Amino acid sequence: MTAIRAAIKPTRRPGELGVHSVDRFHFAVPDLAVAKTFYGEFGLEVDEDGEFLAMKTRGNPHVWVTLGEGPRKKLGHISFGAFEDDIDHFSRRLQEMGIKRLDPPPGIESNGLWFRDHNGVPVEIRVAEKSSPNAKSVFAAVSAPPGVPGAVARSKASITQPRRLAHILLFTVDVARAIEFYSKVLGLRLSDSSEGNIAFLHGVHGSDHHLVAFARSSGVGMHHCSWDVGSVQDIGLGAMQMAKKGFVAGWGLGRHVLGSNYFHYVQDPWGSWSEYSADIDYVPATTDWASADHPGEDSFYLWGPNVPEDFIRNYELGN
Ligand SMILES: [Fe+2]
């Protein structure tokens, strides 16, 4: 598996300094045992790693998320992956922009470049294998031929296990400043935005429509993490497997406009969301995405059930 991955050359846009992936991110919750159950039932592999939980997807040793314990749910840091020969350029850029370097947060061993974003959130740029996709992820919509049943017995339904972290959506105080900071410092590009309320950014070396997105709030926070699955069927079965375990609160099935992905969100025990996502738009390294600002009523979702009343509530406010 490792050998196969190593043989695939990551896509790269020459002459552009930009991070290529969200390598991992960190947040805290009050009870790691509850988190282990929630994310394990969601279909992730959740391992204990010292004082943290490490979240992986099946068959891949990559750690997408680390979770620590804290008094309340709280966004920690975000580590972006960069190509090795870009690190010195990023270091120079930080210096030229007068951005102060930090030590890694307590308990984190990493020799990447650490600093704070426009809202004070710790950010790292580290050398990492490109974990964002190098092509649009496979999406299956299989129709049974005539004379053959298309569905299986409910007792034989497969368990949904996401293939990779798709993106994260963070609360920020000022979306315009978030776009500016993450574009100028990290080299991300704006895919689409809506009226200062939300912005979606992609990686210039080839990534989904968004690696990271920002929603307006009066403070920072983690709104959702999104996990790529291969079909609408996987989304539906994922929603069912969570509901069966008591994680009924959610939003879906639906389809977004910006990014175009099919979705179902499951609310975690601390009010944020974990998204099953399929068929999100892809921006190749060779393509300039036609970025635009869209009216709110025309951009959130194309179809789906009514939005839960607390869908965009920032449960981290007041920390
Ligand atoms: Fe999402």
Side-chain angles (χ1 to χ4, degrees):
M1 187 74 186
T2 307
I4 292 167
R5 266 205 310 278
I8 298 168
K9 206 169 162 9
T11 54
R12 185 169 187 175
R13 182 182 286 223
E16 292 283 347
L17 183 59
V19 295
H20 54 58
S21 311
V22 170
D23 190 57
R24 79 171 57 166
F25 78 102
H26 178 87
F27 67 105
V29 293
D31 190 331
L32 288 184
V34 173
K36 192 169 179 183
T37 301
F38 177 83
Y39 288 103
E41 297 296 351
F42 190 83
L44 302 173
E45 313 228 320
V46 189
D47 298 332
E48 283 164 38
D49 182 10
E51 60 184 298
F52 300 124
L53 290 181
M55 300 196 336
K56 301 172 194 165
T57 40
R58 187 169 169 240
N60 185 349
H62 186 83
V63 175
W64 301 104
V65 182
T66 54
L67 273 165
E69 210 160 77
R72 292 182 64 179
K73 196 261 292 181
K74 191 176 191 303
L75 173 65
H77 59 266
I78 309 137
S79 293
F80 289 89
F83 293 114
E84 190 170 7
D85 55 348
D86 276 344
I87 279 291
D88 288 345
H89 298 292
F90 275 117
S91 176
R92 257 196 308 280
R93 179 185 277 180
L94 292 172
Q95 204 174 0
E96 282 163 15
M97 296 182 78
I99 295 169
K100 207 175 130 211
R101 297 263 298 274
L102 300 175
D103 290 331
I108 308 288
E109 273 179 45
S110 167
N111 58 359
L113 308 171
W114 288 86
F115 50 98
R116 288 188 191 280
D117 78 0
H118 63 295
N119 275 168
V121 175
V123 169
E124 179 191 24
I125 300 176
R126 71 203 299 184
V127 175
E129 211 174 290
K130 186 172 181 289
S131 55
S132 61
N134 296 306
K136 188 166 179 181
S137 294
V138 173
F139 175 72
V142 181
S143 177
V148 177
V152 297
R154 196 151 158 177
S155 59
K156 300 215 167 41
S158 58
I159 297 291
T160 293
Q161 295 177 305
R163 300 183 289 196
R164 61 180 171 85
L165 178 71
H167 57 264
I168 51 176
L169 194 150
L170 308 175
F171 289 113
T172 192
V173 178
D174 185 330
V175 171
R177 280 190 63 208
I179 296 168
E180 188 185 5
F181 186 92
Y182 282 84
S183 302
K184 288 191 174 158
V185 180
L186 290 104
L188 295 175
R189 288 200 175 174
L190 180 65
S191 309
D192 288 289
S193 59
S194 178
E195 300 180 334
N197 290 321
I198 194 155
F200 301 93
L201 289 93
H202 65 271
V204 72
H205 300 298
S207 85
D208 288 344
H209 175 270
H210 43 285
L211 292 173
V212 62
F214 294 94
R216 186 167 62 86
S217 175
S218 53
V220 298
M222 196 273 282
H223 177 272
H224 77 260
C225 48
S226 177
W227 301 89
D228 176 73
V229 299
S231 65
V232 169
Q233 166 96 332
D234 286 345
I235 296 176
L237 289 174
M240 285 286 289
Q241 82 196 28
M242 292 305 274
K244 251 195 270 180
K245 298 292 177 178
F247 302 112
V248 176
W251 182 41
L253 174 74
R255 189 178 196 187
H256 283 300
V257 175
L258 305 181
S260 308
N261 50 318
Y262 299 95
F263 65 80
H264 179 91
Y265 295 82
V266 186
Q267 192 165 34
D268 74 19
W270 308 282
S272 47
W273 308 82
S274 204
E275 178 185 21
Y276 294 112
S277 166
D279 204 31
I280 194 164
D281 293 334
Y282 186 77
V283 186
T286 48
T287 300
D288 286 325
W289 185 260
S291 149
D293 193 64
H294 307 263
E297 71 279 7
D298 207 17
S299 60
F300 188 23
Y301 65 112
L302 182 60
W303 52 262
N306 291 337
V307 184
E309 162 276 316
D310 66 342
F311 188 70
I312 47 168
R313 179 164 164 199
N314 185 354
Y315 281 93
E316 296 181 37
L317 291 179
N319 279 4

